[in-house]
Short mmCIF file of all heavy atoms in Angstrom, two decimals:
data_model
loop_
_atom_site.label_atom_id
_atom_site.label_comp_id
_atom_site.label_asym_id
_atom_site.label_seq_id
_atom_site.Cartn_x
_atom_site.Cartn_y
_atom_site.Cartn_z
N VAL A 1148 -16.98 3.38 2.64
CA VAL A 1148 -17.25 2.03 3.18
C VAL A 1148 -17.78 2.22 4.59
O VAL A 1148 -17.41 3.10 5.37
CB VAL A 1148 -15.95 1.19 3.20
CG1 VAL A 1148 -16.29 -0.22 3.68
CG2 VAL A 1148 -15.27 1.11 1.84
N GLN A 1149 -18.75 1.35 4.97
CA GLN A 1149 -19.25 1.39 6.36
C GLN A 1149 -18.31 0.69 7.23
O GLN A 1149 -17.59 -0.23 6.78
CB GLN A 1149 -20.62 0.69 6.34
CG GLN A 1149 -21.74 1.61 5.81
CD GLN A 1149 -23.11 1.03 6.10
OE1 GLN A 1149 -23.25 -0.20 6.31
NE2 GLN A 1149 -24.10 1.89 6.19
N ALA A 1150 -18.32 1.05 8.50
CA ALA A 1150 -17.44 0.42 9.50
C ALA A 1150 -17.78 -1.05 9.56
O ALA A 1150 -18.97 -1.45 9.48
CB ALA A 1150 -17.69 0.99 10.90
N GLY A 1151 -16.71 -1.87 9.63
CA GLY A 1151 -16.87 -3.32 9.64
C GLY A 1151 -16.84 -3.90 8.22
O GLY A 1151 -16.77 -5.10 8.09
N GLY A 1152 -16.91 -3.09 7.19
CA GLY A 1152 -16.87 -3.51 5.84
C GLY A 1152 -15.55 -3.77 5.26
O GLY A 1152 -14.49 -3.63 6.04
N ARG A 1174 -0.51 5.32 3.93
CA ARG A 1174 -1.71 6.17 4.02
C ARG A 1174 -1.50 7.45 4.73
O ARG A 1174 -0.59 7.61 5.58
CB ARG A 1174 -2.81 5.42 4.69
CG ARG A 1174 -2.63 5.11 6.19
CD ARG A 1174 -3.78 4.17 6.75
NE ARG A 1174 -3.60 3.96 8.10
CZ ARG A 1174 -4.34 3.04 8.84
NH1 ARG A 1174 -5.33 2.41 8.24
NH2 ARG A 1174 -4.21 2.91 10.10
N SER A 1199 -1.31 -1.49 13.37
CA SER A 1199 -2.73 -0.98 13.39
C SER A 1199 -3.58 -1.68 12.43
O SER A 1199 -4.85 -1.73 12.49
CB SER A 1199 -2.78 0.48 13.06
OG SER A 1199 -2.21 0.79 11.86
N VAL A 1200 -2.93 -2.42 11.42
CA VAL A 1200 -3.75 -3.15 10.43
C VAL A 1200 -3.53 -4.60 10.41
O VAL A 1200 -4.15 -5.34 9.67
CB VAL A 1200 -3.46 -2.53 9.03
CG1 VAL A 1200 -3.69 -1.00 9.00
CG2 VAL A 1200 -2.14 -2.96 8.51
N ARG A 1203 -6.06 -7.59 9.70
CA ARG A 1203 -7.24 -7.07 9.01
C ARG A 1203 -6.87 -6.80 7.46
O ARG A 1203 -7.78 -6.98 6.61
CB ARG A 1203 -7.69 -5.71 9.59
CG ARG A 1203 -8.15 -5.93 11.06
CD ARG A 1203 -8.75 -4.56 11.57
NE ARG A 1203 -7.80 -3.49 11.55
CZ ARG A 1203 -8.01 -2.29 10.87
NH1 ARG A 1203 -9.16 -2.19 10.17
NH2 ARG A 1203 -7.16 -1.37 10.91
N PHE A 1204 -5.68 -6.35 7.16
CA PHE A 1204 -5.24 -6.06 5.88
C PHE A 1204 -4.32 -7.15 5.28
O PHE A 1204 -3.56 -7.70 6.07
CB PHE A 1204 -4.55 -4.73 5.80
CG PHE A 1204 -5.36 -3.49 6.09
CD1 PHE A 1204 -6.66 -3.61 6.57
CD2 PHE A 1204 -4.85 -2.24 5.88
CE1 PHE A 1204 -7.46 -2.50 6.86
CE2 PHE A 1204 -5.61 -1.12 6.05
CZ PHE A 1204 -6.89 -1.25 6.55
N ASN A 1220 -10.08 -5.50 5.40
CA ASN A 1220 -11.34 -6.06 6.06
C ASN A 1220 -11.51 -5.38 7.41
O ASN A 1220 -10.59 -4.81 7.99
CB ASN A 1220 -11.14 -7.61 6.21
CG ASN A 1220 -11.01 -8.32 4.92
OD1 ASN A 1220 -11.61 -7.90 3.84
ND2 ASN A 1220 -10.32 -9.43 4.89
N ASP A 1221 -12.72 -5.53 7.86
CA ASP A 1221 -13.07 -5.01 9.26
C ASP A 1221 -12.61 -3.56 9.40
O ASP A 1221 -11.96 -3.21 10.39
CB ASP A 1221 -12.45 -5.90 10.31
CG ASP A 1221 -12.97 -5.58 11.73
OD1 ASP A 1221 -14.13 -5.04 11.80
OD2 ASP A 1221 -12.31 -5.90 12.67
N LEU A 1222 -12.97 -2.74 8.43
CA LEU A 1222 -12.50 -1.41 8.48
C LEU A 1222 -13.16 -0.61 9.58
O LEU A 1222 -14.26 -0.88 9.90
CB LEU A 1222 -12.85 -0.73 7.07
CG LEU A 1222 -11.92 -1.16 5.93
CD1 LEU A 1222 -12.54 -0.91 4.63
CD2 LEU A 1222 -10.58 -0.51 6.03
N ASN A 1223 -12.41 0.35 10.07
CA ASN A 1223 -13.00 1.26 11.00
C ASN A 1223 -12.74 2.77 10.72
O ASN A 1223 -11.86 3.01 9.85
CB ASN A 1223 -12.48 0.96 12.46
CG ASN A 1223 -10.91 1.01 12.50
OD1 ASN A 1223 -10.36 2.11 12.33
ND2 ASN A 1223 -10.33 -0.10 12.77
N PRO A 1224 -13.40 3.70 11.29
CA PRO A 1224 -13.18 5.11 10.89
C PRO A 1224 -11.73 5.57 10.95
O PRO A 1224 -11.33 6.49 10.17
CB PRO A 1224 -14.03 5.81 11.87
CG PRO A 1224 -15.18 4.87 12.20
CD PRO A 1224 -14.52 3.55 12.20
N GLU A 1225 -10.98 5.00 11.86
CA GLU A 1225 -9.56 5.39 11.96
C GLU A 1225 -8.72 5.02 10.70
O GLU A 1225 -7.60 5.40 10.50
CB GLU A 1225 -8.89 4.76 13.17
CG GLU A 1225 -9.34 5.31 14.49
CD GLU A 1225 -10.82 4.96 14.85
OE1 GLU A 1225 -11.16 3.81 14.56
OE2 GLU A 1225 -11.55 5.76 15.40
N ASP A 1226 -9.35 4.09 9.87
CA ASP A 1226 -8.69 3.72 8.62
C ASP A 1226 -8.88 4.76 7.49
O ASP A 1226 -8.29 4.65 6.44
CB ASP A 1226 -9.13 2.36 8.12
CG ASP A 1226 -8.76 1.28 9.07
OD1 ASP A 1226 -7.62 1.21 9.53
OD2 ASP A 1226 -9.63 0.42 9.39
N THR A 1227 -9.72 5.76 7.74
CA THR A 1227 -9.97 6.83 6.81
C THR A 1227 -8.70 7.57 6.38
O THR A 1227 -8.04 8.14 7.24
CB THR A 1227 -11.01 7.74 7.22
OG1 THR A 1227 -12.30 7.05 7.39
CG2 THR A 1227 -11.28 8.94 6.27
N ALA A 1228 -8.35 7.60 5.10
CA ALA A 1228 -7.10 8.20 4.74
C ALA A 1228 -7.04 8.16 3.17
O ALA A 1228 -7.84 7.52 2.54
CB ALA A 1228 -5.90 7.56 5.27
N TYR A 1230 -4.86 6.61 0.46
CA TYR A 1230 -3.89 5.40 0.41
C TYR A 1230 -3.04 5.53 -0.84
O TYR A 1230 -3.57 5.76 -1.98
CB TYR A 1230 -4.71 4.18 0.42
CG TYR A 1230 -5.27 3.75 1.77
CD1 TYR A 1230 -6.28 4.50 2.34
CD2 TYR A 1230 -4.65 2.70 2.56
CE1 TYR A 1230 -6.76 4.09 3.66
CE2 TYR A 1230 -5.18 2.41 3.83
CZ TYR A 1230 -6.18 3.09 4.27
OH TYR A 1230 -6.67 2.84 5.62
N VAL A 1256 -9.95 6.53 0.89
CA VAL A 1256 -10.83 5.50 1.53
C VAL A 1256 -11.49 6.23 2.68
O VAL A 1256 -10.73 6.79 3.56
CB VAL A 1256 -10.00 4.35 2.01
CG1 VAL A 1256 -10.88 3.39 2.86
CG2 VAL A 1256 -9.37 3.66 0.83
N THR A 1257 -12.76 6.21 2.74
CA THR A 1257 -13.53 6.84 3.84
C THR A 1257 -14.43 5.80 4.44
O THR A 1257 -15.20 5.20 3.79
CB THR A 1257 -14.40 7.98 3.32
OG1 THR A 1257 -13.54 8.98 2.65
CG2 THR A 1257 -15.13 8.61 4.48
N VAL A 1258 -14.27 5.64 5.79
CA VAL A 1258 -14.99 4.64 6.56
C VAL A 1258 -15.95 5.36 7.47
O VAL A 1258 -15.53 6.20 8.32
CB VAL A 1258 -14.10 3.75 7.36
CG1 VAL A 1258 -14.88 2.66 8.06
CG2 VAL A 1258 -12.91 3.08 6.49
N SER A 1259 -17.28 5.16 7.25
CA SER A 1259 -18.29 5.78 8.09
C SER A 1259 -18.68 4.92 9.20
O SER A 1259 -18.67 3.69 9.11
CB SER A 1259 -19.45 6.03 7.18
OG SER A 1259 -20.06 4.84 6.74
N SER A 1260 -18.96 5.59 10.35
CA SER A 1260 -19.32 4.79 11.57
C SER A 1260 -20.81 4.59 11.63
O SER A 1260 -21.58 5.06 10.85
CB SER A 1260 -18.90 5.62 12.79
OG SER A 1260 -19.49 6.90 12.73
#
Side-chain angles (χ1 to χ4, degrees):
V1148 184
Q1149 286 191 332
R1174 67 186 182 185
S1199 59
V1200 307
R1203 300 187 298 121
F1204 290 13
N1220 298 327
D1221 193 22
L1222 287 161
N1223 59 64
E1225 290 70 39
D1226 295 315
T1227 295
Y1230 283 71
V1256 174
T1257 302
V1258 184
S1259 62
S1260 58

